[in-house]
Amino acid sequence: LARSAVRLDLAGGWSDTPPFCLKQGGAVVNLGVDLNGQAPVQVFVRSCQDRHIVIRSIDLGAQTTIRSFEELENCREIGGEFSLAKAAFCLAGFHPRFHKNSPPSLARLLEEFGGGLEVSLLAATPKGSGLGTSSVLAATILAALGATGGLGWDLEDLVQRTMALEQMLTSGGGWQDQAGGIYHGIKLIETKPGLEQKPSVRWLPEHLLGPDTANRMALLYYTGITRVAKTILQEIVRGMLLNSHSHMEILFAIREHAVAAYQSIQRESWPSLCRAVERSWELNQALDRGTNPPEVAAILGSVRDWSAGAKLLGAGGGGYMLLLAK
């Protein structure tokens, strides 16, 4: 059994995305949260006698059975019900590309492993939520399979392997989603330039976003609008690769703002937290005009008199927003 939170990004999002983070390093402030008192992402693994892999999604009410390497490798369809889990099984060594001296068939490999596997997935947030659920789920599947296979992966390993998994799925993405979910609490996560992005974590006091304050003054609100992150990601990454001056200038500002937000939250000042979130929202809109579509602007406008800070979570355009009251 492996369980994870989802992440709420407060500052620094996009600075964790290759190629920017590979060249300049990244910095984000986010927090891992449960929803309604429960870990929203859960993965259950158990052995079975049959030499096959069963993957079932509790929230989608779907199930598939895998009996061959070819079926396992068919994981490149973005948005496919079981693409994440199939890719995670490959990375965990259940495919010849990731298994030294692999047996000729999946049935034989599972026989040597000690039996088949049944995996049940639960993600208690809607698709396109902006809470990093896909990356968190991928990391949680890897954690469960790593524990089952005795692979000894730590949290740092899971962050890096989740990035590799997303490259397998051609969805790309950075490291902040999985890091935000598997590292608890509110924190600043930083990486140095380089191909190996090793997260360094500095935790912050949780008073401002603890139950006594947050449950009275913060609201996680679902807009009902979804937006696929891959489409946004492709355009932003294109600007990075072209070394667009406007893109790069904003990305540097986003990374620097994450450190400033960390320092302001350290002071445990609610107005400072609100200003940090508001500035993050401004920078996100400067980077991508589509971040704040008219429907979202209308929602924010209707609560402007009561709001001290607000932003859409994730890549923007839809999903959940975080509202901080005056």
Side-chain angles (χ1 to χ4, degrees):
L1 170 63
R3 297 175 176 172
S4 298
V6 286
R7 70 96 188 93
L8 311 185
D9 59 301
L10 302 182
W14 290 118
S15 75
D16 65 301
T17 305
F20 183 85
C21 65
L22 303 181
K23 295 182 178 180
Q24 310 296 340
V28 299
V29 173
N30 64 28
L31 64 153
V33 296
D34 291 340
L35 298 179
N36 298 319
Q38 297 287 331
V41 179
Q42 302 188 23
V43 177
F44 308 85
V45 180
R46 72 182 186 93
S47 60
C48 60
Q49 292 184 347
D50 294 325
R51 303 299 187 258
H52 62 209
I53 294 171
V54 176
I55 308 170
R56 62 176 60 91
S57 171
I58 296 172
D59 49 288
L60 296 177
Q63 177 175 308
T64 188
T65 301
I66 297 168
R67 296 183 173 87
S68 69
F69 292 137
E70 290 74 22
E71 291 176 291
L72 197 59
E73 193 172 20
N74 182 24
C75 63
R76 300 183 185 277
E77 180 186 353
I78 295 176
E81 291 176 335
F82 302 108
S83 295
L84 284 175
K86 290 178 181 179
F89 267 102
C90 290
L91 277 173
F94 291 89
H95 189 277
R97 288 170 53 205
F98 302 91
H99 187 111
K100 187 177 181 180
N101 302 321
S102 171
S105 68
L106 180 60
R108 182 70 178 274
L109 189 154
L110 290 170
E111 182 179 350
E112 293 181 4
F113 182 75
L117 290 172
E118 295 183 3
V119 179
S120 298
L121 316 175
L122 173 64
T125 56
K127 186 177 181 180
S129 67
L131 303 182
T133 308
S134 294
S135 296
V136 175
L137 177 59
T140 309
I141 298 170
L142 288 169
L145 294 178
T148 302
L151 298 176
W153 290 339
D154 59 18
L155 296 182
E156 185 179 291
D157 293 325
L158 292 175
V159 170
Q160 295 182 18
R161 280 172 168 77
T162 301
M163 288 187 72
L165 185 152
E166 291 179 331
Q167 294 303 320
M168 289 174 62
L169 298 179
T170 72
S171 56
W175 43 257
Q176 87 134 324
D177 291 350
Q178 60 265 32
I182 66 178
Y183 288 105
H184 66 83
I186 179 170
K187 64 272 180 186
L188 170 68
I189 311 171
E190 296 177 289
T191 61
K192 295 179 180 179
L195 290 176
E196 195 171 14
Q197 291 286 287
K198 294 185 177 181
S200 171
V201 184
R202 286 188 277 172
W203 274 270
L204 281 156
E206 298 185 8
H207 167 70
L208 291 180
L209 290 163
D212 291 342
T213 304
N215 285 346
R216 294 185 298 110
M217 300 176 69
L219 177 67
L220 189 61
Y221 178 79
Y222 186 59
T223 64
I225 304 165
T226 60
R227 189 179 181 202
V228 179
K230 182 184 178 183
T231 307
I232 313 164
L233 179 67
Q234 288 175 337
E235 189 59 33
I236 301 300
V237 170
R238 179 174 176 273
M240 296 181 194
L241 292 172
L242 293 175
N243 206 26
S244 163
H245 175 73
S246 60
H247 278 81
M248 297 305 293
E249 189 176 45
I250 297 168
L251 285 164
F252 278 113
I254 285 173
R255 188 189 63 182
E256 292 167 7
H257 175 60
V259 177
Y262 168 79
Q263 294 169 345
S264 68
I265 296 171
Q266 270 189 323
R267 294 193 288 270
E268 297 194 71
S269 163
W270 184 260
S272 294
L273 170 64
C274 294
R275 284 194 296 270
V277 169
E278 195 72 8
R279 177 57 178 159
S280 295
W281 181 231
E282 293 170 359
L283 288 168
N284 285 2
Q285 293 176 79
L287 188 64
D288 173 29
R289 295 178 181 177
T291 293
N292 187 14
E295 298 87 350
V296 170
I299 295 171
L300 292 172
S302 69
V303 296
R304 185 171 294 115
D305 291 344
W306 299 275
S307 173
K311 74 181 293 290
L312 280 179
L313 300 166
Y320 280 90
M321 64 171 60
L322 179 65
L323 298 167
L324 305 177
K326 292 179 181 177

